[in-house]
Amino acid sequence: MNSGALLVNAAIPLVVWAVAWLTPSLTSPTLPFGVRIPAARADAPVIAEQRKRYRWLVGTAGGVLLALNVGLSTTAHSVWPGVVPALILAVFLAAFHRARVAVAAAKRDEDWYRGLRQGVVTDTSLRTDPEAFPWPWSIPALLIVAATVVTSVVLYPSVPERLAVHFNASGIPDRFATKSVGSAFFPVFVQAGVTATILVLAWFSFRARPELDPARPADSARRHRRFSVRAVISLLVLAACVDLSMLAGAWPIWHADQNLSPVLVMLPILVGLAVVVGVAVRTGQGGSRLPAGSAGAPEENTGVVRRDDDRHWRGAGSLYVNRADPALVVQKRFGFGWTLNFGNPRALLLFALIVGLPLALPLIVR
């Protein structure tokens, strides 16, 4: 295995492990491990203890898996793409679920919401005077797609009759197909589909309902505005990076005498992921790590706490199911970004399109 393949094989699990380790720091202090709690309980000993145990488990198990991955790749030259990231993800989910159960049990047993006034709040200015969608940041992705289309059209007459359509871990082609519009332009179709999907999801997410804090609604609205803009920009940057990786991957398909470079293919994606992770750490989910940004004195606490809505979050707190909520997209309870309301039929349709398009694309092209 060449050094480039080794680098890529080590980099992807490292990114997954880093994101898993950082996850508790990304969400609001009132959502430890996806459990809604009053702000006054954010420093509860059980939360600090579970956060420490979670990081110990993820850090130790992830470190062992990373070392094992590098050792096998360099000595035995054994590579199982996706296996180590999947194992790290499994450790993350198990550790997260364990901490979530412990925090939820303490919340229930000690009745943390007893005597508190729960409520929701909205800021109509977010609808009457919304932030502008950062369309200029989509231009790089669209230009790369356009460049890929032009390149494929220009090169098509000289494309060999036998095209490489799959490469092994070292970048050597090991599967071929007869030249056709479908096989030669398949990277273009995939690139366009991925770009369109990210743009649509970014637009819906940008217009998603804000999660405002009724204790300090004005401050949380300002945080939400900055969070939405920065999060969507990071997604659009990621889209451009993914498109660049696809262009790098398409080049050896169109040139039979060239092998695939794993570094050239994965480096743009890793850069895009680094941008997303950097924005997540800087802003926090929903802008929880951002300052209020008010020029005057801090907003006075209204004494109202966010409504306890844990019953609408299923599994490990990753699935939102609320048929009474008209929202299509809502902010995640952990991690960074948004998720669908699976209790909304329109959200289910959107989910079916997102999942179905990649599955149907090969059949459509064929």
Side-chain angles (χ1 to χ4, degrees):
M1 180 184 302
N2 58 45
S3 58
L6 288 174
L7 178 62
V8 171
N9 191 52
I12 296 176
L14 182 61
V15 171
V16 176
W17 176 73
V19 171
W21 195 88
L22 287 169
T23 292
S25 300
L26 303 182
T27 51
S28 167
T30 59
L31 277 174
F33 298 103
V35 180
R36 177 73 72 191
I37 66 169
R41 299 284 185 169
D43 296 326
V46 64
I47 297 175
E49 178 185 0
Q50 292 305 318
R51 188 175 288 116
K52 181 179 179 180
R53 290 185 178 181
Y54 168 87
R55 286 200 163 122
W56 185 87
L57 287 171
V58 172
T60 303
V64 170
L65 288 171
L66 288 173
L68 182 62
N69 179 55
V70 173
L72 290 176
S73 299
T74 55
T75 58
H77 302 287
S78 299
V79 178
W80 302 286
V83 173
V84 173
L87 291 175
I88 295 176
L89 183 61
V91 171
F92 154 67
L93 292 175
F96 191 94
H97 178 71
R98 179 183 180 279
R100 173 182 170 82
V101 170
V103 174
K107 168 187 169 180
R108 181 183 62 253
D109 296 341
E110 299 174 17
D111 197 8
W112 286 359
Y113 272 90
R114 181 177 54 197
L116 297 179
R117 188 158 56 102
Q118 303 180 41
V120 295
V121 66
T122 186
D123 186 339
T124 56
S125 68
L126 292 172
R127 296 300 180 191
T128 59
D129 184 26
E131 294 291 321
F133 187 88
W135 286 113
W137 287 90
S138 66
I139 293 176
L142 297 176
L143 287 177
I144 295 172
V145 172
T148 307
V149 172
V150 172
T151 302
S152 61
V153 171
V154 171
L155 292 178
Y156 184 74
S158 61
V159 165
E161 294 299 324
R162 192 164 176 258
L163 300 178
V165 295
H166 189 270
F167 301 82
N168 62 22
S170 297
I172 301 174
D174 58 5
R175 191 180 306 164
F176 298 87
T178 304
K179 175 183 175 179
S180 66
V181 173
S183 60
F185 287 84
F186 184 73
V188 178
F189 295 127
V190 174
Q191 188 187 59
V194 169
T195 304
T197 300
I198 293 178
L199 287 175
V200 169
L201 290 177
W203 189 88
F204 276 111
S205 300
F206 192 74
R207 299 302 178 192
R209 183 189 63 210
E211 293 289 336
L212 302 184
D213 185 0
R216 294 182 173 87
D219 285 347
S220 61
R222 282 189 287 267
R223 290 191 181 96
H224 170 78
R225 287 178 179 271
R226 284 177 285 162
F227 161 75
S228 297
V229 172
R230 296 181 188 184
V232 166
I233 287 176
S234 71
L235 290 178
L236 298 179
V237 171
L238 177 61
C241 292
V242 170
D243 289 339
L244 197 58
S245 288
M246 289 186 178
L247 177 56
W251 194 260
I253 295 177
W254 299 328
H255 297 78
D257 57 341
Q258 295 187 17
N259 292 336
L260 182 73
S261 172
V263 174
L264 288 179
V265 172
M266 293 305 304
L267 185 58
I269 293 179
L270 293 175
V271 171
L273 290 175
V275 171
V276 174
V277 173
V279 171
V281 173
R282 177 65 184 88
T283 65
Q285 176 68 324
S288 59
R289 297 172 67 90
L290 292 172
S294 175
E299 184 179 8
E300 183 178 355
N301 193 321
T302 64
V304 181
V305 299
R306 299 192 193 200
R307 183 176 55 185
D308 182 9
D309 55 353
D310 285 352
R311 66 186 182 279
H312 298 305
W313 292 87
R314 310 292 174 80
S318 58
L319 296 178
Y320 181 69
V321 183
N322 186 358
R323 293 179 177 83
D325 188 348
L328 184 68
V329 179
V330 297
Q331 288 182 17
K332 290 182 178 179
R333 293 295 286 267
F334 69 89
F336 183 72
W338 296 266
T339 186
L340 297 172
N341 174 13
F342 288 92
N344 188 324
R346 294 181 301 153
L348 294 176
L349 177 60
L350 179 60
F351 179 75
L353 291 174
I354 294 171
V355 174
L357 182 60
L359 298 177
L361 186 58
L363 298 177
I364 295 174
V365 172
R366 185 178 299 177

